[in-house]
Amino acid sequence: MSTYDIAKFYHSKFNAKPEVIMQSPGRINIIGEHTDYNLGYVLPAAINHYMFIGVSSNGSNQVNLHSIDYQQDESISLDKVERTENGWLNLISGVVNQLKERIGGFDLAFGGNIPEGAGVSSSAALCCGVASALSELYGLGLEKWEIAKIAQKSEHEFALVKCGIMDQFACLFGLKDHVLLLNCESYEYEESKVDIAGYKFLLVNSNVKHSLGDSAYNTRRDESTRALEQVKKKYPEVKTYQDVTSAMLHEMTDELEEVLWKRAFHVVSENERVFEMKDSLKSKDQQKVGELLSQGHVSLKDNFEVTCAETDYLVASLENQASVLGARQVGGGFGGCILALVQDTDLDQLLAPIREAYKTKFDLELDNIPVQLSQGCHRI
């Protein structure tokens, strides 16, 4: 889908040109999984897969919505914005509910090429894109961090997913050919240019769909919180996971329930991997970058227990290829995409035997999603 497509679809639905068009990207997180809501560190980047949103005011109190990809229409009144059983409607409604006193009715159409349920944040792209579009349409002047928090609150209250701020941050602050190291406690961040000449990031979609609101995602968040509370009792100086070291956890192997210890150890070790990854990308140590990806997957599998048979199989299959330096599951877990660092080679040739074996074993297709590090959400 492109700018032209969204304008065409919008016109066919509402018989008018959209006043505002936003291009809102998905994201990959190079490393730093399940650390954002634990107020740790993450290393995301926006990618060149987008949600396109066209919107115009309609002079009423009614919000008319059209999903191009689902071929669905919904309408809501600004006087009564409520949760429904419609997932995409809830994401938009959550944004509208926060802005309803500052806006009027509008017509909106959206669609894009971000794989849904693949761990690349199609939901954040939609929420951030809608909030940004409404800010532009009604001259609200919302700052990027304001939009990020509006989008996050929508997911918390209407999608019922207790996500951290990383997805929204990456969607809004992304820079072409850059990764962003974010401190999820202070919101301080550092931009770092990436040059992996001779190599490329490969995103492979397992096509195992996850729904974070129905999965163990929220359970893992609660377990992480409980583990931190136990650590604080032994080490009163600890405020967040940023203050916890591996040595502290090794002192508590007999005091922490095994499950809680593993959750905490993943968060602490993953925070460490974020800084190692940033330094490795900067120094162009591609071998180390690959090793860190693989280490991250092992921890997601063994310590945080958010992988699945399909993604474990794909990681192992990719790592068996000489041209692959490392791979890991990305996103909230229980399916979605695999991120790998590979030599700049023929990807179809690389994936052909894996694709065939994967289909035989799991009766699932394997999709290759070429990605480039992209610009954040902006008006076009």
Side-chain angles (χ1 to χ4, degrees):
M1 180 171 287
S2 66
T3 310
Y4 171 76
D5 292 330
I6 188 66
K8 180 181 68 174
F9 278 115
Y10 186 94
H11 188 276
S12 67
K13 184 65 190 176
F14 298 111
N15 197 31
K17 291 182 178 180
E19 296 176 53
V20 173
I21 295 177
M22 299 299 298
Q23 177 174 301
S24 188
R27 67 98 187 98
I28 54 171
N29 186 27
I30 307 299
I31 202 82
E33 217 65 85
H34 293 274
T35 50
D36 60 342
Y37 57 78
N38 283 307
L39 303 183
Y41 301 94
V42 291
L43 194 71
I47 59 173
N48 60 331
H49 290 263
Y50 307 101
M51 194 72 73
F52 293 94
I53 296 151
V55 62
S56 299
S57 57
N58 61 25
S60 75
N61 206 37
Q62 199 76 6
V63 173
N64 302 311
L65 305 168
H66 176 62
S67 168
I68 297 164
D69 300 323
Y70 285 103
Q71 297 184 340
Q72 292 177 351
D73 299 300
E74 296 282 358
S75 291
I76 55 177
S77 170
L78 291 177
D79 296 324
K80 191 176 184 180
V81 185
E82 298 178 323
R83 286 196 73 251
T84 71
E85 296 304 310
N86 183 324
W88 66 258
L89 176 59
N90 282 334
L91 293 169
I92 297 176
S93 295
V95 172
V96 171
N97 191 52
Q98 296 173 71
L99 300 176
K100 62 186 178 183
E101 303 300 330
R102 305 171 65 183
I103 62 176
F106 57 88
D107 300 327
L108 182 148
F110 73 95
N113 59 5
I114 304 175
E116 185 181 359
V120 289
S121 298
S122 58
S123 57
L126 179 57
C127 289
C128 291
V130 170
S132 299
L134 294 177
S135 180
E136 291 280 335
L137 183 64
Y138 289 101
L140 304 182
L142 297 176
E143 299 290 338
K144 288 181 180 180
W145 276 119
E146 291 180 275
I147 293 170
K149 292 172 184 177
I150 288 169
Q152 182 190 37
K153 189 175 181 181
S154 175
E155 296 219 43
H156 284 190
E157 296 184 351
F158 277 70
L160 304 184
V161 176
K162 301 176 185 176
C163 61
I165 200 71
M166 174 187 66
D167 296 350
Q168 297 79 7
F169 164 76
C171 175
L172 292 159
F173 288 83
L175 281 177
K176 183 176 171 56
D177 298 326
H178 283 70
V179 293
L180 306 169
L181 193 156
L182 174 67
N183 180 328
C184 296
E185 180 184 18
S186 69
Y187 290 172
E188 295 175 324
Y189 67 95
E190 177 184 341
E191 302 162 354
S192 184
K193 189 169 177 61
V194 172
D195 178 7
I196 53 172
Y199 296 83
K200 63 178 70 172
F201 283 118
L202 168 66
L203 198 62
V204 175
N205 190 355
S206 71
N207 280 308
V208 177
K209 303 298 183 184
H210 64 199
S211 176
L212 295 184
D214 298 329
S215 72
Y217 179 92
N218 291 336
T219 302
R220 294 297 183 275
R221 180 169 183 154
D222 292 340
E223 289 167 342
S224 303
T225 300
R226 285 165 51 206
L228 183 63
E229 291 306 312
Q230 292 297 313
V231 173
K232 286 179 178 179
K233 289 179 182 178
K234 183 175 179 69
Y235 299 98
E237 69 273 19
V238 166
K239 293 183 174 60
T240 72
Y241 271 107
Q242 293 188 27
D243 305 318
V244 184
T245 65
S246 298
M248 288 179 180
L249 292 179
H250 285 301
E251 288 292 322
M252 296 186 68
T253 51
D254 295 330
E255 299 172 54
L256 267 177
E257 180 186 339
E258 183 183 3
V259 167
L260 298 187
W261 189 92
K262 291 199 295 185
R263 304 299 186 253
F265 188 76
H266 168 74
V267 176
V268 171
S269 61
E270 189 79 345
N271 278 333
E272 294 170 352
R273 281 188 286 274
V274 168
F275 286 93
E276 289 184 77
M277 180 68 80
K278 188 206 76 167
D279 293 340
S280 299
L281 285 169
K282 189 173 183 179
S283 64
K284 302 181 183 180
D285 186 349
Q286 319 300 12
Q287 199 69 40
K288 183 65 175 179
V289 170
E291 291 172 7
L292 290 167
L293 289 175
S294 296
Q295 289 170 17
H297 185 81
V298 170
S299 188
L300 288 170
K301 177 177 181 289
D302 296 339
N303 296 322
F304 225 65
E305 297 178 281
V306 291
T307 66
C308 60
E310 294 88 347
T311 56
D312 290 339
Y313 177 84
L314 288 175
V315 166
S317 299
L318 285 163
E319 290 177 339
N320 281 336
Q321 306 298 311
S323 59
V324 177
L325 298 189
R328 75 174 189 89
Q329 177 187 273
V330 296
F334 316 104
C337 286
I338 305 302
L339 177 68
L341 183 66
V342 304
Q343 290 178 334
D344 200 350
T345 185
D346 185 333
L347 295 181
D348 288 334
Q349 184 177 351
L350 167 69
L351 290 174
I354 299 175
R355 181 178 283 112
E356 183 179 351
Y358 185 66
K359 173 70 173 177
T360 300
K361 186 173 180 63
F362 296 104
D363 195 27
L364 287 167
E365 300 297 332
L366 188 64
D367 294 332
N368 168 26
I369 307 172
V371 293
Q372 297 174 353
L373 309 190
S374 174
Q375 187 68 27
C377 182
H378 62 282
R379 183 174 182 174
I380 51 177

